Amino acid sequence: MMTDWLKGAVELTSHGEIAVDAKGQTSASGVFAAGDATTSPFKQIVIAMGDGATASLAAFEHLIRTS
Ligand SMILES: Cc1cc2nc3c(=O)[nH]c(=O)nc-3n(C[C@H](O)[C@H](O)[C@H](O)COP(=O)(O)OP(=O)(O)OC[C@H]3O[C@@H](n4cnc5c(N)ncnc54)[C@H](O)[C@@H]3O)c2cc1C
């Protein structure tokens, strides 16, 4: 599984998907994920692109709030 190397670092589902919330936040604070490797529904290009934009904005938001 492509996400095996993340075992123990972030929460993965039984299918190996990285569990993310609506902002792409993983179970590890400040660690974001996007696209097919996540629990985001519908494995399509346009969805992965939107997820990437969301996760990058959420990472920016996290940085300005914590630094
Ligand atoms: C045969 C096929 C046909 C498809 N047709 C369509 C279609 O017509 N329309 C559509 O919208 N979607 C289609 N899809 C789905 C679409 O390809 C995906 O939804 C999209 O590519 C997901 O983008 P992503 O960036 O999340 O992942 P990916 O495009 O899979 O990118 C992940 C990248 O990460 C790299 N990677 C993996 N592990 C590591 C690592 N440990 N370190 C560094 N890099 C790593 C991989 O090599 C890969 O380049 C198709 C998929 C397949 C398999």
Side-chain angles (χ1 to χ4, degrees):
M1 187 77 63
M2 190 173 71
T3 54
D4 277 355
W5 62 281
L6 288 167
K7 278 181 185 167
V10 296
E11 181 189 345
L12 302 175
T13 68
S14 57
H15 300 296
E17 292 179 323
I18 304 164
V20 291
D21 70 10
K23 289 185 174 180
Q25 170 71 64
T26 69
S27 58
S29 177
V31 178
F32 297 83
D36 279 16
T38 73
T39 49
S40 179
F42 308 117
K43 309 307 186 193
Q44 293 279 283
I45 295 166
V46 69
I47 304 294
M49 291 172 68
D51 284 352
T54 298
S56 61
L57 287 168
F60 174 72
E61 182 182 64
H62 175 83
L63 288 171
I64 58 174
R65 285 188 177 168
T66 56
S67 55

